[in-house]
Amino acid sequence: MEAHIPTLNADVRERPGSKYAQRLRQNGKLPAVMYGHGQDPVSITMDAAETLSHISKGEKLFTLKMTGGDQTVLLRDLQFDYLGNNIIHADFSRVDLEERIHTRVHVRLKGDAIGLKSAGAILIHPVTELDIECKVANLPDEVIVDISSLEVGASIHVRDITLPLPTMKMLSDGDGVVAHIVVQGEEKTGEATEATGEAAADAAKPEAKS
């Protein structure tokens, strides 16, 4: 299994600074920095719409087509605006396809769980990303977990997941819950019953005479 590596055009930024970066963003560009492999960091810019389209799909590995030679890079960090809505900067690290890296991968749940056919049943999905170790060339965009056979009260833990390749190593806590089905309102019903019982007990008490 080889990772799909999209190609993005990138140019070296002429000048650093927030004002210049803001001007780039206004012109449809995404400011970024590329570092790692014992080389100096390089400030770069790329087409914002194209880059963010790939990032929104969960893709992290890219080939940057640049003057002086292509670079294989891994997305390491994203910076958002003060509202937390828009990506305004990206960090990439240079990588070699044969090296092993630690990274986070999105979990996608697949299938219609049996337990969800029960009245009031809801699906809880606490762990949405996994920490794994793998070769750069094998970096998956996501890990798919089949929940078709999941029944009410049952859970799928991190330790139950089989990664796409045997050479990949799971780093996340095995006790983490990836999917769990519960019946909504059970706890509230219990509280309501208890409250009703207390009210009935109060009603049975004789009123104090003045």
Side-chain angles (χ1 to χ4, degrees):
M1 177 189 130
E2 293 291 328
H4 167 65
I5 308 177
T7 298
L8 299 172
N9 292 315
D11 298 308
V12 176
R13 267 193 277 169
E14 298 175 5
R15 292 178 300 189
S18 57
K19 288 186 177 180
Y20 182 60
Q22 185 176 2
R23 191 180 308 165
L24 288 171
R25 286 191 287 269
Q26 291 172 347
N27 291 322
K29 300 293 184 180
L30 177 68
V33 65
M34 176 178 64
Y35 58 87
H37 272 211
Q39 301 179 47
D40 292 334
V42 176
S43 295
I44 59 176
T45 182
M46 55 195 69
D47 183 81
E50 183 183 15
T51 304
L52 297 180
S53 173
H54 286 289
I55 291 175
S56 67
K57 297 174 186 175
E59 294 173 342
K60 295 182 178 181
L61 190 62
F62 302 95
T63 296
L64 298 187
K65 200 168 187 62
M66 304 178 63
T67 301
D70 296 351
Q71 294 277 353
T72 302
V73 297
L74 180 68
L75 177 65
R76 288 296 191 183
D77 193 26
L78 293 170
Q79 181 182 341
F80 291 80
D81 61 13
Y82 70 98
L83 293 175
N85 297 326
N86 301 308
I87 297 171
I88 61 174
H89 191 276
D91 287 357
F92 298 93
S93 64
R94 302 178 183 91
V95 290
D96 183 281
L97 291 178
E98 294 304 309
E99 72 178 283
R100 294 183 67 85
I101 58 169
H102 293 180
T103 188
R104 296 179 68 83
V105 181
H106 176 69
V107 175
R108 178 163 68 89
L109 304 182
K110 175 185 176 183
D112 297 322
I114 294 175
L116 290 179
K117 296 178 182 178
S118 300
I122 59 171
L123 175 67
I124 299 175
H125 182 23
V127 174
T128 59
E129 286 188 321
L130 298 173
D131 291 313
I132 69 169
E133 178 190 309
C134 68
K135 285 173 57 174
V136 171
N138 301 141
L139 180 66
D141 293 334
E142 60 185 8
V143 172
I144 300 173
V145 177
D146 189 352
I147 62 170
S148 301
S149 60
L150 195 62
E151 299 180 353
V152 172
S155 301
I156 296 177
H157 295 84
V158 170
R159 60 176 173 268
D160 302 319
I161 296 175
T162 300
L163 293 174
L165 291 175
T167 55
M168 296 177 177
K169 182 180 179 181
M170 182 71 75
L171 301 178
S172 293
D173 183 358
D175 292 331
V177 176
V178 176
H180 178 53
I181 295 181
V182 298
V183 174
Q184 193 173 28
E186 282 186 340
E187 187 174 338
K188 290 183 178 179
T189 301
E191 292 174 353
T193 302
E194 184 179 349
T196 302
E198 291 175 354
D202 289 340
K205 293 178 181 178
E207 294 184 3
K209 294 182 180 180
S210 55

